[in-house]
Amino acid sequence: MIFKQFYLPCLAHASYVIGDEETRTAAVVDPQRDTDQYVEFAAENALTIKHVFLTHLHADFVAGHLELRDRVGAAICLGAAAKAAYAFSAFRDGDVLELGRVRLKVLETPGHTPESISIVVYDLNASDSRPYALLTGDTLFIGDVGRPDLRAALGWSASQLGGMLFDSLHTKLLALPDQSLVYPAHGAGSLCGKAISKETVSTLGEQRRSNYALQPMSKEAFIQLVTADQPEAPAYFNYDAVLNSQERLTLDQALAREMNPLTLDRVLELQAQGAQILDTRDPGEFASAHLAGSINIGLGGQYATWAGTVLDRTHPIVIVAAPGRENEAAIRLGRIGFDHVAGYLTDGMHSLESRPDLTVTTERFSAPFAADLLNSPRHPLAIDVRAPRERDQKFIAGSLGIPLNHLVEHAEQLPKDRPLLVYCAGGYRSSIAASLLQRLGFCRVSEIAGGIAAWEAAKLPIQTAQPLS
């Protein structure tokens, strides 16, 4: 058996190729939308990709099932409860796909979604009764289980799915041997769970011992546990879940339409018509000079997740990138189905060298200097754009907490006659926030360079618990 995990840190997403050395056939499970790596791996190992499985209709990314279907002729395989606009093979509980000496057995494991499946992998040269691995999709993570609250828009309550998840875990997955390797579809940083480990593989026995959600408890207690304190899901999650069930353009088709070099004059025309200017450079570069009205989401962080959170799907996107990185910026937008890119600014910021009147800067203050400002008589208003859980642990005294994903909707409450000083954990989100505020007409916006991490490193005072109201 040939078994390979591919891991995409930006989306904390794991996908898999499973192949048989005898028949040289392979299946891909939960692929990302840009599929070169699977095709290249198959070619290197003389494999033909015959099947592509989705363990469920993913919400946090657009999968590459249509791409592999069109590119290599792979048959799409979904759980029997799935509904999709394209042709697929429906796998019911216990159905088996044989790839020579490799066996894939499907278990229907609803809970994260109604159509979720898990795949039990057998290497028949080793054993036809003891599984080699268990591909759990988003049903079971390392250290966590899949959240059951993402299908409310489709009529499924978190309690309904939570009960199904409990049954799937206890009657299907936990019935398998402890030595079975557990390979999930996501790792730490994914919003598909609340306590996912940074590890990308474990054993079922280790999860039985250490996973908080697998400890002995009633179904009612489990439902209460897994539905509480889940992170807020971005608005694009429902969009992606629906898109994964539809026939759509492949990524190559979308990129062929999108990758248009645009002159500065054309970019300005599009901006005047409502296009979003997305500057994908690092926060420091963006702060030193950027096109007025542009939004900074750097390629160096969770670019796709934040693009899906703060950008509008109804207005075109124009990319500003370091020369040579425009395609990467568009591909990573395509991974979440944001195919409404109008083009990119030719030569990036070099196009603006003769037009300094079009550029603005963002001041980034060191933590000690920011502390002095906050202690001055006419001090700025400090805005903490981290998530509520982060702020509950520690924050800068006197700061106002507005999570980045709610900043625009609460911006009207902020004073325009007072300087604003934005901070986050390390500087990535504060740059996004500052650019959004500048775009909304706040003129005196600055950041704490390095965020609260730099503040702590400078041994400046931190409030460690929210005061009682």
Side-chain angles (χ1 to χ4, degrees):
M1 182 174 68
I2 297 169
F3 186 96
K4 171 74 173 176
Q5 181 188 66
F6 296 83
Y7 194 75
L8 181 64
C10 178
L11 289 172
H13 163 224
S15 53
Y16 302 89
V17 173
I18 307 148
D20 173 56
E21 291 184 333
E22 184 178 283
T23 62
R24 315 312 300 186
T25 56
V28 182
V29 179
D30 290 332
Q32 63 193 61
R33 196 177 176 197
D34 43 321
T35 57
D36 284 354
Q37 60 187 341
Y38 313 115
V39 175
E40 290 166 5
F41 180 80
E44 289 164 3
N45 290 275
L47 295 170
T48 300
I49 299 171
K50 293 284 192 180
H51 306 274
V52 54
F53 281 86
L54 298 191
T55 56
H56 60 289
L57 300 173
H58 294 272
D60 63 316
F61 70 96
V62 174
H65 49 301
L66 301 187
E67 282 74 10
L68 287 173
R69 179 199 67 184
D70 290 359
R71 187 169 179 179
V72 300
I76 298 172
C77 306
L78 305 177
K83 294 179 174 61
Y86 44 80
F88 65 91
S89 297
F91 279 73
R92 290 170 176 79
D93 197 65
D95 283 352
V96 167
L97 176 66
E98 303 274 3
L99 302 173
R101 300 298 295 163
V102 175
R103 175 178 296 154
L104 305 181
K105 181 181 178 181
V106 169
L107 301 178
E108 291 186 272
T109 51
H112 176 65
T113 69
E115 78 286 348
S116 288
I117 59 173
S118 298
I119 302 172
V120 189
V121 181
Y122 294 88
D123 180 353
L124 299 181
N125 287 331
S127 174
D128 63 359
S129 60
R130 188 177 68 251
Y132 167 76
L134 179 60
L135 305 186
T136 56
D138 285 11
T139 300
L140 173 63
F141 297 125
I142 310 305
D144 203 354
V145 293
R147 59 191 296 178
D149 62 330
L150 294 180
R151 289 295 185 271
L154 302 179
W156 292 89
S157 74
S159 294
Q160 281 178 300
L161 288 174
M164 295 165 74
L165 181 61
F166 180 88
D167 292 339
S168 294
L169 292 166
H170 288 273
T171 64
K172 303 284 181 69
L173 302 189
L174 291 177
L176 296 168
D178 277 356
Q179 64 266 36
S180 307
L181 295 172
V182 174
Y183 284 99
H186 287 100
S190 168
L191 294 174
C192 294
K194 61 182 176 181
I196 307 176
S197 168
K198 67 180 187 303
E199 304 300 325
T200 59
V201 62
S202 183
T203 65
L204 195 57
E206 175 55 33
Q207 289 310 295
R208 197 191 305 273
R209 287 187 294 273
S210 63
N211 190 315
Y212 78 95
L214 300 185
Q215 302 314 300
M217 68 186 82
S218 68
K219 181 185 287 191
E220 292 71 24
F222 174 86
I223 293 171
Q224 186 173 5
L225 182 65
V226 300
T227 55
D229 301 321
Q230 289 288 359
E232 187 174 355
Y236 77 91
F237 271 30
N238 282 333
Y239 170 72
D240 278 13
V242 172
L243 200 58
N244 275 319
S245 71
Q246 295 176 337
E247 192 72 46
R248 51 159 176 80
L249 293 179
T250 64
L251 181 60
D252 285 345
Q253 290 168 334
L255 292 174
R257 184 184 66 185
E258 294 171 354
M259 295 311 294
N260 306 303
L262 304 173
T263 64
L264 176 58
D265 286 343
R266 180 58 182 150
V267 169
L268 295 174
E269 286 177 10
L270 288 169
Q271 187 179 32
Q273 294 165 11
Q276 304 161 103
I277 311 301
L278 173 61
D279 192 318
T280 64
R281 296 173 300 148
D282 289 340
E285 295 176 288
F286 180 83
S288 65
H290 53 269
L291 178 64
S294 55
I295 301 168
N296 178 227
I297 308 175
L299 290 171
Q302 287 189 301
Y303 167 78
T305 298
W306 282 113
T309 300
V310 304
L311 297 180
D312 188 337
R313 293 195 306 275
T314 65
H315 289 80
I317 297 169
V318 174
I319 291 169
V320 177
R325 301 197 73 182
E326 302 90 354
N327 203 56
E328 176 191 354
I331 286 172
R332 289 171 65 180
L333 289 175
R335 287 175 182 161
I336 59 165
F338 275 46
D339 292 345
H340 50 294
V341 173
Y344 62 90
L345 177 60
T346 303
D347 295 329
M349 287 300 293
H350 295 304
S351 296
L352 286 153
E353 288 174 352
S354 62
R355 294 293 308 275
D357 56 304
L358 297 176
T359 64
V360 293
T361 62
T362 308
E363 291 186 295
R364 307 186 89 214
F365 298 131
S366 69
F369 187 79
D372 289 342
L373 284 177
L374 292 173
N375 288 321
S376 65
R378 302 182 68 180
H379 58 86
L381 174 61
I383 301 173
D384 181 350
V385 297
R386 297 173 302 150
R389 273 199 229 169
E390 296 172 276
R391 183 169 170 84
D392 286 345
Q393 294 173 5
K394 57 190 173 185
F395 61 98
I396 297 172
S399 62
L400 176 65
I402 307 178
L404 175 54
N405 56 325
H406 291 291
L407 182 62
V408 171
E409 67 192 81
H410 290 296
E412 288 184 0
Q413 303 167 19
L414 298 175
K416 287 201 171 182
D417 59 349
R418 183 178 175 187
L420 304 178
L421 178 63
V422 187
Y423 75 91
C424 63
Y428 182 81
R429 285 172 289 176
S430 65
S431 185
I432 301 173
S435 68
L436 290 171
L437 290 170
Q438 287 180 326
R439 189 169 184 255
L440 290 170
F442 293 87
C443 299
R444 294 186 291 169
V445 182
S446 58
E447 301 173 62
I448 300 178
I452 203 163
W455 186 276
E456 288 187 289
K459 301 191 182 332
L460 292 164
I462 285 286
Q463 192 120 7
T464 55
Q466 286 279 23
L468 295 175
S469 56

